[in-house]
Amino acid sequence: MKNENKVLACVDQSRFADYVADYAAWAARRMDAPLEFLHVIDRHPEQGSGEDRSGAIGIDAQENLLTKLSEEDEARSRNAREHGRIFLNRLRERAVAAGAALVDVRQRHGELEETLVEQAEGVRLLVLGRRGESADTTQRDLGRKVERVVRALNRPILTVTEDFHEPQRVMIAFDGGTVTRRGVEMVAGSPLFRGLPITLLMAGKESQDAPKQLDWAKTTLEAAGFEVTSLLAPGDAETVIATEVKEQAIDMLIMGAFGHSPLRSLLFGSKTTDLLRSSSIPTLLLR
């Protein structure tokens, strides 16, 4: 498979993988792009056999113990690779059935963030589940690795939730900044949302330049053939966006992501995280 302009779907062995596969297949089909599924096997799984080895002393005991541990680790690794192979082949079949033309699979040992950075070349769009394998045990509404991945990659990232619904109505949360202006140009130049009505929403503090900025975005999209509705709604951005998404039955949200440093987000919170936690629809994040 050509490693150019592909859709990369990052999946783990959770119930969310099917939704990631469905949205990734939809995007690949719309963009006429190859699709690749990436499954990252944790190099340091937090597990043990439960066997008490505290009494392993005596002649050659240390060497025998190390040999045994190495054999157990190799067996776990083989088992993980085999389970991963079966899992990825099932997702490949699902994506092909959904209309994706070129589908490949890849497994890697390592850390998720580092592996994605290594695999980022040639990626046009990354599709990632908003939650993962640990969701049922931690009850987290946003996977702990999502922010780190989004910050690490300079690529559009589609974060998906539960259940696949082919998008019919799209909203761009536009703030007039560099990132969302590039986002408007990206939407205008891409076949991903071609033929779908676009709602342009500018929320937040009132600004003298806001109407002019919003008009630029609307004109840019209309020149590319989109049907566009523009809204200027002062108020808390998170509240306004959530309200408009519900009232207009929006299927997918496009927004800039994590404009502040990780330290600032730690101290003062992140609007991106708040929106992802409150939103129940897939969100395309721009960096």
Side-chain angles (χ1 to χ4, degrees), residues 122-199:
V123 172
R124 191 171 174 184
L125 175 70
L126 174 67
V127 185
L128 184 71
R130 212 170 288 176
R131 301 172 75 194
E133 276 184 288
S134 63
D136 291 329
T137 55
T138 64
Q139 299 301 311
R140 293 174 63 92
D141 48 8
L142 185 65
R144 66 184 57 149
K145 296 181 179 179
V146 172
E147 178 174 350
R148 295 206 303 270
V149 168
V150 175
R151 287 186 181 278
L153 296 179
N154 185 25
R155 295 288 188 278
I157 299 179
L158 178 59
T159 63
V160 308
T161 52
E162 297 189 43
D163 296 328
F164 171 76
H165 300 286
E166 184 160 339
Q168 301 297 322
R169 298 185 63 83
V170 178
M171 175 181 284
I172 301 177
F174 182 71
D175 63 7
T178 302
V179 172
T180 52
R181 287 176 72 91
R182 287 177 182 166
V184 166
E185 292 170 339
M186 181 200 73
V187 171
S190 170
L192 182 58
F193 300 109
R194 188 75 65 210
L196 301 180
I198 303 286
T199 297

Side-chain angles (χ1 to χ4, degrees), residues 70-274:
S70 178
E71 291 173 350
E72 290 176 354
D73 186 59
E74 186 177 342
R76 280 196 299 268
S77 181
R78 283 198 306 269
N79 188 53
R81 286 197 302 271
E82 180 61 17
H83 276 83
R85 185 187 66 79
I86 295 170
F87 162 70
L88 286 171
N89 283 337
R90 183 182 67 79
L91 291 183
R92 173 167 33 198
E93 293 173 1
R94 186 182 181 99
V96 169
L102 295 172
V103 187
D104 201 358
V105 297
R106 186 186 301 266
Q107 278 196 104
R108 286 289 183 271
H109 283 271
E111 299 294 333
L112 175 64
E113 180 184 335
E114 294 175 1
T115 305
L116 284 174
V117 170
E118 292 171 359
Q119 301 293 320
E121 184 179 356
V123 172
R124 191 171 174 184
L125 175 70
L126 174 67
V127 185
L128 184 71
R130 212 170 288 176
R131 301 172 75 194
E133 276 184 288
S134 63
D136 291 329
T137 55
T138 64
Q139 299 301 311
R140 293 174 63 92
D141 48 8
L142 185 65
R144 66 184 57 149
K145 296 181 179 179
V146 172
E147 178 174 350
R148 295 206 303 270
V149 168
V150 175
R151 287 186 181 278
L153 296 179
N154 185 25
R155 295 288 188 278
I157 299 179
L158 178 59
T159 63
V160 308
T161 52
E162 297 189 43
D163 296 328
F164 171 76
H165 300 286
E166 184 160 339
Q168 301 297 322
R169 298 185 63 83
V170 178
M171 175 181 284
I172 301 177
F174 182 71
D175 63 7
T178 302
V179 172
T180 52
R181 287 176 72 91
R182 287 177 182 166
V184 166
E185 292 170 339
M186 181 200 73
V187 171
S190 170
L192 182 58
F193 300 109
R194 188 75 65 210
L196 301 180
I198 303 286
T199 297
L200 266 172
L201 175 63
M202 199 167 188
K205 295 180 180 179
E206 294 189 54
S207 166
Q208 187 175 353
D209 294 333
K212 182 179 179 180
Q213 293 171 336
L214 194 60
D215 184 63
W216 170 86
K218 186 173 187 288
T219 302
T220 300
L221 290 167
E222 286 178 336
F226 285 94
E227 175 190 333
V228 185
T229 301
S230 60
L231 297 172
L232 186 59
D236 176 70
E238 181 186 349
T239 303
V240 172
I241 291 172
T243 299
E244 293 297 335
V245 162
K246 184 176 181 180
E247 290 184 355
Q248 299 192 43
I250 298 298
D251 300 305
M252 186 170 289
L253 176 66
I254 304 171
M255 59 181 278
F258 302 116
H260 296 297
S261 69
L263 178 59
R264 180 181 171 87
S265 296
L266 177 64
L267 295 175
F268 302 107
S270 165
K271 283 291 183 184
T272 304
T273 300
D274 292 341

